[in-house]
Amino acid sequence: MKKILSISLLSLLATNSFAGGYRISMQGQRQLAMGHTGVAVIGQNAESLFFNPASGTFLDSKWSFSAGATALVSDVKFQNSLYNWSSSTRNVGTPLYFYGNYQASDRFSIGLAVYTPYGSAVEWDQDWAGSHLVNNIDLKAFFIQPTFSYKVTDNISVGAGLIYVNGGVTFNRNLSRSMVDEQGNRSDVTVDAKGVSAWGYNLGVTAKLDDYVTFGVNYRSKIDMKAEGGDALFHDMPSFLKDAYPNGKINATMPLPAELTIGFSYQINKKWMVATDYNHTFWNAYDNLVIEFDNPLVGTSVNPRNYKNSGTIRIGAQFEPSEKFSARVGGYYDMSPVQDGYFAPETPRNDAIAGTLGFTYKITPKLGVDFAASMLHFKETTNSYDHYIEDGAHVSFGGDYRSGAYSLGLGLSYNF
C-alpha cells in the first residue's frame, strides 16, 4: 500500500515536456521546425526567450510577440507474449505558448514567456495487466518565466529569468494485482493533487563570434516541487480494509533536474542558416521519490527510480528565399534517462529520433503565420519495472513496448 502514489507524482513533476512519457519539446513553431534548435538562433521572434533569455536584445523589432498551439498525438503498444498480455493507448495533448519581448533600449530588453510543457493524458484500459502500476493519468502545468537581457558589448548579451511553475495531476491505479471488493470489483485509488508550485531560474549567454557564427548557452536550475495536501481517494475496497485505509492526504517533495544547453548557428548566406544544439539533463536527481502519507498505517514510501543523466542532439536548417516566406527542416535524437529494470508504463519512453519541418508566411511585414510538424519514433524495447513490492516481494512487470508520436502546430508572430 505504501507505493500507491509514487509513480503518479513522479510523472507530474518530471522536467521539460512530457506527454505520456514523451519529451515533446514544442515551445515554438519556428524552432520546432528546425529540430527544436534555438539556443544560438537570434533575430527570429519572441519564442527565442524560451531557448535563451539572452536573445532578447538581438531581436530585430522593439516589440515582439509570438503565440501558438500544437496538437500532439502519441501511441503506445504493449505486448507480453509469454502471458498473452496486450494493450494500447492513444493520447492527445495540446501544448500552448505565449512570448513577448520589449527592447527598452539599445542594450536592455525585458520579456515574458508562458508555456505548457504538460497538458496531456495517458489512459490504458481499466484493469489491464499493468493496472497495479497505472490505469490513467492526466497532467496539467503552466510555466511562467519573466526574463531580461543586457548587451555587454555589441556582440555579446547576457540574460536571466525566473521560472514559476504551477500544476496538478489526477491519477488512478489498482491497489494490487488481485485485490477486489465483495462484488468482485478491482480495488483502486485516485490521486488528485492541485496547486503544486515552485520557483527556479535560468541563465543565458549569446555571442556573435563574427558575421556568420553565433554561440549560445542556457542553464535551467533544478526546481524542487512540493505537493502538499493532495487527496487520495480509495474505491471498491474490501470491507475489512475500509476503516484501515480511509480517504486521506499526502505530502511529497521532488526535484526537477537541471539542464544545460549549448549550441551554434551559422548564417551561410542571406538565404540559408543552419543550427545545432546539445541539451544535457541532469536526470540523476531522480534517485528515489519519497512520499509521506498522513495515514500512519501507510507511512512513508521510498520509490526507486535510478534515472541516469541523458542528452538530446538537435540540428536544423532554414531557407529564406524572400521576406514573405521561409522554410525549415530539422531533427533530433533524444536519449532516454530510464535504466533497465525501471521501465514503467506511466512514462513508456525509450531512445527516440524525430524529424521536423515547417514554414513561416508573412501576411504583412509585421504579422506572420508559423506552421510546424513533427514525427517522433521511439526505439522498440523489451523492458520491465522490477521494483513494485507486493506481499513483501519484488514483482516484475514488463514486455515489448512500441511507441510513436506526431504533431501539427500553428503560431502567430507580430513584430513592430
Side-chain angles (χ1 to χ4, degrees):
M1 297 291 284
K2 290 185 177 182
K3 299 175 72 63
I4 290 170
L5 304 185
S6 54
I7 293 175
S8 66
L9 291 170
L10 174 71
S11 302
L12 166 65
L13 300 172
T15 193
N16 283 322
S17 303
F18 279 82
Y22 300 115
R23 186 187 188 93
I24 59 176
S25 297
M26 294 177 181
Q27 278 67 62
Q29 308 301 351
R30 294 193 186 193
Q31 304 314 136
L32 171 61
M34 290 181 62
H36 215 246
T37 59
V39 71
V41 177
I42 60 175
Q44 293 269 28
N45 63 9
E47 68 186 53
S48 300
L49 297 179
F50 169 82
F51 298 90
N52 190 339
S55 65
T57 55
F58 284 109
L59 293 180
D60 295 332
S61 303
K62 190 176 186 67
W63 288 94
S64 299
F65 297 96
S66 181
T70 300
L72 170 71
V73 179
S74 60
D75 292 294
V76 185
K77 294 183 179 180
F78 167 81
Q79 184 174 11
N80 185 310
S81 300
L82 179 63
Y83 297 104
N84 197 28
W85 294 338
S86 64
S87 190
S88 63
T89 175
R90 167 167 286 190
N91 308 286
V92 178
T94 54
L96 312 171
Y97 65 85
F98 168 81
Y99 307 107
N101 188 73
Y102 171 63
Q103 299 262 17
S105 69
D106 291 340
R107 294 196 176 275
F108 181 73
S109 72
I110 56 176
L112 178 67
V114 180
Y115 46 98
T116 58
Y118 307 94
S120 185
V122 176
E123 186 170 359
W124 296 94
D125 295 333
Q126 190 74 21
D127 302 332
W128 71 296
S131 60
H132 58 290
L133 297 176
V134 61
N135 278 314
N136 59 73
I137 184 169
D138 188 10
L139 313 175
K140 293 180 176 64
F142 281 88
F143 281 47
I144 301 173
Q145 176 186 312
T147 66
F148 74 90
S149 58
Y150 178 74
K151 272 188 179 179
V152 181
T153 70
D154 289 342
N155 295 319
I156 299 175
S157 179
V158 296
L162 290 175
I163 302 174
Y164 172 72
V165 187
N166 186 274
V169 58
T170 302
F171 170 82
N172 178 269
R173 57 158 284 188
N174 289 354
L175 293 180
S176 75
R177 295 177 299 163
S178 58
M179 184 183 296
V180 296
D181 64 9
E182 285 71 19
Q183 287 72 45
N185 301 310
R186 294 284 298 276
S187 303
D188 66 88
V189 63
T190 297
V191 175
D192 191 3
K194 294 184 174 66
V196 181
S197 62
W199 289 89
Y201 65 89
N202 68 335
L203 305 171
V205 177
T206 301
K208 296 180 67 174
L209 304 184
D210 56 32
D211 292 338
Y212 304 97
V213 180
T214 301
F215 168 77
V217 59
N218 183 37
Y219 175 79
R220 294 177 184 271
S221 71
K222 184 179 78 169
I223 301 176
D224 288 322
M225 299 289 289
K226 295 183 179 181
E228 298 179 342
D231 295 317
L233 308 176
F234 297 88
H235 313 110
D236 299 322
M237 297 291 293
S239 57
F240 71 93
L241 286 177
K242 286 184 178 179
D243 293 335
Y245 292 95
N247 296 337
K249 302 289 185 179
I250 60 94
N251 295 324
T253 300
M254 286 75 62
L256 303 184
E259 294 180 76
L260 178 66
T261 306
I262 60 174
F264 291 88
S265 66
Y266 180 62
Q267 190 72 45
I268 301 172
N269 52 43
K270 291 183 178 180
K271 295 182 178 181
W272 283 97
M273 178 184 67
V274 294
T276 184
D277 288 0
Y278 174 74
N279 172 268
H280 185 82
T281 305
F282 298 89
W283 279 103
N284 63 355
Y286 284 126
D287 184 13
N288 294 293
L289 184 66
V290 179
I291 310 294
E292 298 176 357
F293 295 82
D294 68 349
N295 185 339
L297 292 178
V298 181
T300 300
S301 166
V302 179
N303 185 39
R305 302 308 292 184
N306 199 30
Y307 276 22
K308 63 183 179 181
N309 293 342
S310 66
T312 305
I313 301 169
R314 301 168 177 151
I315 189 169
Q318 174 179 275
F319 175 61
E320 191 171 4
S322 68
E323 292 184 358
K324 292 185 70 68
F325 180 81
S326 56
R328 301 171 186 88
V329 66
Y332 59 86
Y333 179 67
D334 188 6
M335 292 163 273
S336 172
V338 181
Q339 302 202 65
D340 290 343
Y342 293 86
F343 199 94
E346 94 285 350
T347 52
R349 61 164 302 185
N350 197 24
D351 292 353
I353 187 168
T356 67
L357 56 84
F359 64 85
T360 294
Y361 179 77
K362 288 189 176 181
I363 301 173
T364 71
K366 296 179 179 180
L367 178 63
V369 177
D370 305 313
F371 171 82
S374 69
M375 292 191 66
L376 186 61
H377 173 74
F378 287 81
K379 181 181 178 182
E380 184 176 346
T381 183
T382 300
N383 217 319
S384 61
Y385 186 77
D386 302 333
H387 302 277
Y388 176 82
I389 298 177
E390 186 169 308
D391 298 328
H394 287 265
V395 178
S396 178
F397 175 81
D400 301 324
Y401 289 90
R402 289 181 294 168
S403 308
Y406 57 91
S407 72
L408 295 174
L410 189 66
L412 293 174
S413 300
Y414 190 73
N415 305 285
F416 62 96

